[in-house]
Amino acid sequence: MVAYGSTAATKARANRDEGNSGTAINSADASETTSLLADSIPHVPSIPSISFVEEQSASPWSKVTFGWMAPMMRLGNAKKRLDPEDILHIPLPTDCRTDVLSAAFEARWNEELERSKLKRTIWKKDPNGCETTNNTSSTKNCRISEPSLIRALFRAFGSDYLIGGFILKFVHDSCIFVGPQVLHGLILYLGSTDAPLSRGLGLTLAVTVSQLCMSFCLRHYFFKCYKFGLMIRTAVVVAVYKKALVLSAGERHVRHLGEITNLMSIDAQRLQDLTTYLHAIWYSFWQIGLALFFLWQQLGPSSLAGVAVICVMMPVTKTVAKYMGGLQRQLMIAKDKRVENNSEVLGAMKVVKLQAWEVPFMDRITALRETELRHLLNYIVAESFSFMLWSAVPLAVALGTFLVYVVSGQNLTVSTALTSLALFDILRFPLFMLPQIINRIVEAGVSLGRVRSFLLCEEHKSIQAGSLEDAGVRMTNVSAAYESLKNENGYGSHDHKNTNPLASELAEKTWELSLLKSQLEEAEKKINELLAAQKNNASDPEGVGYLSSSMLCLKRINFECKPGTLVAVVGSVGSGKSSLINAMLGEVRELAGKTEVSGNLAFFSQTPFILNATVKANILFSHVNEPIDEAKYQRALECCALKHDLQSLPASDMTEIGEKGITLSGGQKARVALARVVYHGADISLLDDCLSAVDAHVAKHVFEECITGELLQGSGQLFTNRSVILATNALEHLKHPRVDKIVVLHEGRVVEQGTYEELSTDKGSEFSRFLAVIEKTGVASSCGHVHGDATEVDDGYDEQRILKAVSRDSDQAVEDENTGQKDTRKLMTTEERSIGHVGADVYFYWAKAASGVWVPFAIILVYGAVEALSVASKWWLTYWSQHGSDGNQMFFLGVYALINLVNVLTIFLRIIFVMLLGLRASKKIFSNLLQVVMHAPMSFFDTTPIGRIINRFSQDMYTVDSQLMNALRSYLTTIMNVISTIVVISGVTPAFVICLVPILLFYASQQNFFTMSYRELKRLDSVNRSPIYALLGESIDGVATIRAFGGESALLSRLTRMLDTQQNAYYLLCVAQCWLAIRLELVGTLFITLACLLAVWQHSIRGADLQFAGLAGLSISYALSVTQSLNWSVRMASDLEASMIAVERIRSYCEIDSEAPRDTDADKTLPKSWPTGGKITFQNASLRYRPGLPLVLKGLNLEIPPGAKCGVVGRTGAGKSTLMVSLLRIVELDSGKVSIDGYDTKSIGLTKLRSSIAVIPQDPVLFSGTIRTNLDPFDEHSDGDIFDVLMRVGLYSNAKSSSSVTSLSYLALNDVQSLKDPVKNEGSNFSVGQRQLLVVARALLSGASIVIMDEATAAVDADSDARIQRVIRDEFSNSTCITIAHRINTIMDSDYILVMDDGKAAEFDTPQNLLRKGGMFRELVRASSHSS
C-alpha cells in the first residue's frame, strides 16, 4: 500500500514524468529534473493520508466489489481533480502493459504470417486437385489461407475473455429468468386466499439473491471485456506504429498520415469498443432460446408464432448488415481524406498565412467535410431504420403470439399476460442488441480489414552488403523508379480501397508493364546514342530518343565509394542526387542492377528531421536511452558550430524544440541534424545537401571541421575507414584535398566522374560549366567593382570573430524563440483541461449549434412521449387481461397493436430527430473550429503541437459526430425508464414513496462521488491521446532518417511510455464504471425487493384481490427492468458528460484570439493596383513576439525606395526575419508604424495586405492537389500564364517557345506535363529543388509589387540559381525586392544592403558604399570570399 503524499509516491511521479520526456539525461540532469518535477507536484495539505492498493494485492471481498478503487475516488473528490501523477498510485497490471501486450501480439501475428506462407508454399507444390488454368496461379475451387488478424488477437490474450467471460455471462443470463418466474408466482400468490406468508417471502428472497448474483457476474464480465479491449487497442496502436516505421517507399506514398492516424485512433477504438458486446453472438441466442422455452410454458404452441417472426427477420438482418458495412466503408474513406487534408494544412500554416490562402484551404476542407457528412447522414438514416425495425421485432413477436393465443380460444389472464410481457422484455434485449452487435461487428470488420491490410503492406528492405567485405557502397548498372509514380499515373490500385481483386491485379500488371517499357525506352535511347557516336553524328546525344514520360529516376548507375573516401555528388535540379542517396537507403524501387552497402549508416535528409524534444534528445536520437559519451557529444556541438547557438537558448541544449524545428532557424535545424550524424559515428555518412541552409563562412567551418574532419576521419585519426557521400550544390568546397571523387549526374545518369582537377580542367564538361557560373556570379567579381584600396583595408580580419557573431546563420531565424526566454525550458504549452463539472454553458453551446436553446426541451418532450406510450402499452395489457372475458378479445388486441405501432413509429422519428440535430450541431461546431483555427495567430501554432490540434479535428470531432449522440439517446432512454418505474411502483404501492427517499439519496451520493473522478479520468484519457498522434506525425515525416539511424527502438520506447500513461487512465476509468455499477445495482435490487415485500405486506392485510394482483404484477414487472436502467442512467450520464468534454475542448479552441480582421473599410480606399510603387517605411517600429518577451525590433527606422532591390544580412536574433513578420503582420507591432506607399499597414485587411506581397520562403511547401491548385488556388490566372511561369523556371518545355535568356526551359528539367499533374502530400513526388522552383513560379505568377525572398534558391544548383535570380530580376524589375540571404553573391548586385543588428538598422547603403566604409558587411564579404 502507498500513502498519498509520501516521498515514495513523489519519486514515482517524478520518475514517470522524466520517462515521458523522451530525453536521455545524465545523472546530474536526472537529479535536477527529479527535483524540479517533485517541486511542481501540487501539495494538498487538507487531504488526509489515503492508502492505495493494487488489484493483485486487494482482499477477495475488495476484488469482488472493486473496493480497491475507492481510494482513487476519494482522492479525486478531495482534490476536485486528478493529475497525471495521481493515477500512478494504481498502475497498470503487468498483463496490460504495452511492452507485454505488444510482444504477445507480435509473436501470434508472426505465427499467422508463417502459417500463411507455409500454406501458400504447399499449395504451389501440390494444389490438391484444385482447378487451375495453365497461364495463371488463380484457383476456382481452392482458397489460399490468409493471415487472420482476429485470430492473432484472440490467441495472444483472448483466453480469459472467452472462457471467463462465457462462464460469467452464462450464469448471469440464466439468473435473468428467475425474475419472470417469481413474478408469475407472486401474481398467483396475491390472487390466492390461502397462500401462506412464507411463500411470498420465499419468492422475494429468491429474486433478491438472483439479482445480487446477476450483479456480481455482470460486473466482472464487463471488467474482463474492458481489459481485453484495452489489450486489443494497445496491440493495434503499437503494431500500426511499428508498421509505419517499416513501410516501403511506395506504400508510404499511398498510406498517408491521415489514414494512419485514423487506424490508430478511430479503427483501434472501434475494435476496443466491440469487445464489450462480442459475447452477444452466443448469449443472444441463449436468452432467446430460454425466453421461448418459458413462453411455451405460459402460452403453449402460440409461442411458435413469435419464433416464426424471429426466423423471418434473420435474413433481413444480413441484408441490413451488408448495407451498413458498405456505408461504413464509404464514411471512413471520406473521413481519411478530410483528416489527411486537415493535417497537411495545419502542418504548413506559416506558408498558408504568408500567401493569404486561408480561404481556398478552408473551402477545400469544408467540401471534404460536406462529403463526409453526406456519408454520415446516409449511415444515420440507415441506422435509424435499423433501430426502428428491431424495436418492432419484440413487439411483433408479442403481437403474433397473443393473436394466435386469442384466436385459439384462450383467455388471457393477468399472470400469463404479465409473465409473458416480462419474458418479452427479456427477449427485447437480445433482439435489440443483435442489430447493434451486427452493426458493430460490421464496423469492426471494416476496421479489422483496414488494419489487416495495413499490416500486410510491403515493407522496406534494407540494402545488403553482398560481396562487399569492408564498409562501403557499390552500385552496378542500377536503374530505379519511385513507387509514388504508380499511383500518380493511375497504375496503382490500393488494397485498402479497391474491393475488386481482378481490377487490383490488372492495375498491378499494368504498372509492371509500364516499368518494363520505361526500361526498354531507356535502353533504346542508349543504343541510339552509341550508334550516333559511331557515325560521328552526335551533336545532341542527350536529346536523341528523349522520352519525357520515362519513369526512371536512376538510369544504369555505376558508382562506388570505398572505405575512407569522400565522394561528392553534384548536378542540376532534378538530376537524381537525392535519388542516388535514397537508392543506397533502399527508398526507391530497384528495377535492374545491384546495390550493395556494407557498414552502418547515418543520414542527413535534405529536409532535416527534427523531433519535438530537446536539442540534446535530437542529437542523441537513437542513442537517447544509452549512457552519454560526453566527449563525443561536445565534439559534435563544436564541429557543427552549435556551441554559440546554445548560449543564446534559454536552457542551452535542454531547450525544447518546437514541432518540425519551428523554433530554430533553417541553419540551426541543419546543424542539429548534422550533429546527430556526428554523434552516431557511422561507417558511412550520407549527406543530402547539408550546406545549403548555412552561410558561406559557417559552411566552410562545417565542411572542414565536421565533414572532412569528424565524419571522415574522426578526432585523433581514430577512424580510417569512414566514408562520406555528399550530395551538394556548394561546388566551392570540392577543391578540398580530402574530396576523393566527384560524380556528376544529369537526368538520372552519371555523366562524369573524377577528381576536381580532372573535371575542372576539361572545359567541355558539365562540371566546368557549373564552375563558370559560380565564377561569373561570385563575390569576387562583385568586389571587383570597388576601388582596390577600399577592399584591402583591414586585411587581418578575424574570421573567428565573424563566425561567433553570425555562426547562428543569417537566415530564417525565429528570433522570438531565441531571445530572452531564460526562465523556461518548455516552449510547447501544456494541454489545458477543465476541472469539475462540464458547465451548462457547454450544453447550451451544443444546443445553439443544433438549432437553438429550445432543442433540449424538444428532445425531452419527444422521449417523454415515447415512454408514455410504453407505459400505456403495458397498462392496456393488464387492463385487457382483467376485462378481456367481458368483451371482444380482438378489440383489445387491436388497441394493443395500435399503441405499439404508434410506439415504433415514434421511436424511429425520435432517433431521426435527435441524430439530425446532432448532425447539424456537428456541422456548425466543425465550421466554427475550422474558421477560428485557420485565423488563429501564428504564435498559437508555434506553441501548440500539431498533433494536439489534429486531435480536435479527428478524435474529438468523431466523438461529437457519433458518440455524443449515442450517449444522449441512451441516457434519455434509461432515465425515462427509471422515472416511469418510480411512478408506476409509487402509484400501485404508495408506501414505496417512504422508502424511495433514502434510496434516491444513496443513489445521488454515489453518482456525485463517482462522477467527479470519472470525469477527471476521462479528461486524462483524452489529453494523453494527443501526444501519441503527434509522435506518429513526426515519425512519418522522418521515417527514412529513423531507419538509417536505427532509431526505431528509441521511438518505440517513447510510444510505450505514452501508451502506458494513457491506458492507465483508461484502465482506472473502466474500474470506476464497475465500482459504480455494483453499488447502483444494489439500489435496483432494493427496488425489486421493496416492490415484492410491499405487495406481500398488502396481501397479508387485504387478503386476495385480483385487481390489486394485476397492478402489483405491473409494478414488479417494472421493478425487474429498472436495475439495468439505474446503472445505465448514471453510466450514460457520465458518458454524456465525458462526450461533452470533446465539445468543451473544441469550444476552448473556438475562443482562441484571432488575427486582425481579414477585410477592412480601408481596403476600399486603396488604389486598384495597390501597392503601385512599393515604397516601404518603418517608423520607430518596435515588436515583441509575445507578451513578456523582450523586444526584437527596437525602434527600427528604415525607408526602402520604390522598386529597390534590398539585401538583408545580420546575425541570428538581429531581426532579419522579423522584417517580413512585421511587414505581413504575422505579429503586430508593439509601437511605431509600418507603411507601404504611404498607407499604414495596420489599417489594411490581412487578406489584401498578404495577397499583395509575394513571399518565397526558404522551406518550399507544396500541398496535395495539382500543379494548378498549388500555383493558383483562386483560379485567377489562365493556363497560358501558368505555363509561362513554369517555362521561366525550367519546369515546362514548349517546342514552339523561343529560348529567351530569361527562361530556364532549355535546362531540360521538363517535369510538368500538364496543370493537372498530381502533387502528393507535402510535394513528396518532387525533389526539394523542384519544389523550390514551383514556389518561385508561384511568386512570379502573382506579379506583386513587393517580393520577399528568404534564401529562395538555397536548394538549387548554382546554374539554376543564377538563372532564377536573372528571371526574378527581369520579372520583378519594377518591384521592391527584399532578399534575406545566406550566399553573399545572391545580394551583391542589390541596390541596397541592410545590416540588422540588435533589432535596428546598423548599416543601410549601396553594396559599394558599405564596402568602402568598412564595417560588418565588408567583414562578411571578406569571409565569404576566403571560404570560396
Side-chain angles (χ1 to χ4, degrees), residues 1094-1112:
L1094 289 171
V1096 171
W1097 175 65
Q1098 288 279 0
H1099 177 266
S1100 65
I1101 296 174
R1102 299 166 55 178
D1105 185 341
L1106 293 178
Q1107 186 173 1
F1108 173 75
L1111 292 175

Side-chain angles (χ1 to χ4, degrees), residues 944-959:
T944 307
I946 297 301
R948 188 184 302 169
I949 306 174
I950 292 173
N951 199 19
R952 297 294 193 279
F953 283 98
S954 57
Q955 183 65 37
D956 287 338
M957 280 311 307
Y958 169 68
T959 300

Side-chain angles (χ1 to χ4, degrees), residues 185-196 199 1099-1100 1103-1106 1109:
L186 277 173
I187 292 174
L188 294 178
Y189 167 78
L190 295 174
S192 172
T193 56
D194 55 353
R199 177 168 175 76
H1099 177 266
S1100 65
D1105 185 341
L1106 293 178

Side-chain angles (χ1 to χ4, degrees), residues 334-352:
K335 193 180 293 289
D336 283 346
K337 288 182 180 178
R338 195 259 304 165
V339 172
E340 178 187 327
N341 273 265
N342 257 132
S343 305
E344 183 182 22
V345 173
L346 291 172
M349 276 306 298
K350 187 165 188 177
V351 173
V352 172

Side-chain angles (χ1 to χ4, degrees), residues 1118-1140:
Y1118 263 96
L1120 286 172
S1121 64
V1122 79
T1123 304
Q1124 290 304 317
S1125 295
L1126 276 170
N1127 178 34
W1128 279 95
S1129 63
V1130 177
R1131 276 279 305 283
M1132 289 302 106
S1134 300
D1135 280 351
L1136 177 60
E1137 188 171 26
S1139 297
M1140 272 295 171

Side-chain angles (χ1 to χ4, degrees), residues 265 276 386 441 602 608 620 687 722 732 760 784 862 883 1036 1044 1093 1193 1267 1279 1299 1310 1358:
S265 57
T276 310
S386 174
I441 289 175
L620 299 178
L687 309 179
R722 283 185 171 185
E732 63 270 19
S760 60
V862 169
H883 302 86
I1036 295 296
L1093 281 177
L1193 291 184
I1267 295 293
D1279 289 358
S1299 57
N1310 306 329

Side-chain angles (χ1 to χ4, degrees), residues 816 1182-1193 1218 1227-1231:
D816 61 313
S1182 297
L1183 180 147
R1184 70 179 84 241
Y1185 278 88
R1186 288 192 298 278
L1189 295 180
L1191 291 172
V1192 182
L1193 291 184
T1218 309
V1227 178
E1228 300 289 352
L1229 292 177
D1230 247 30
S1231 61

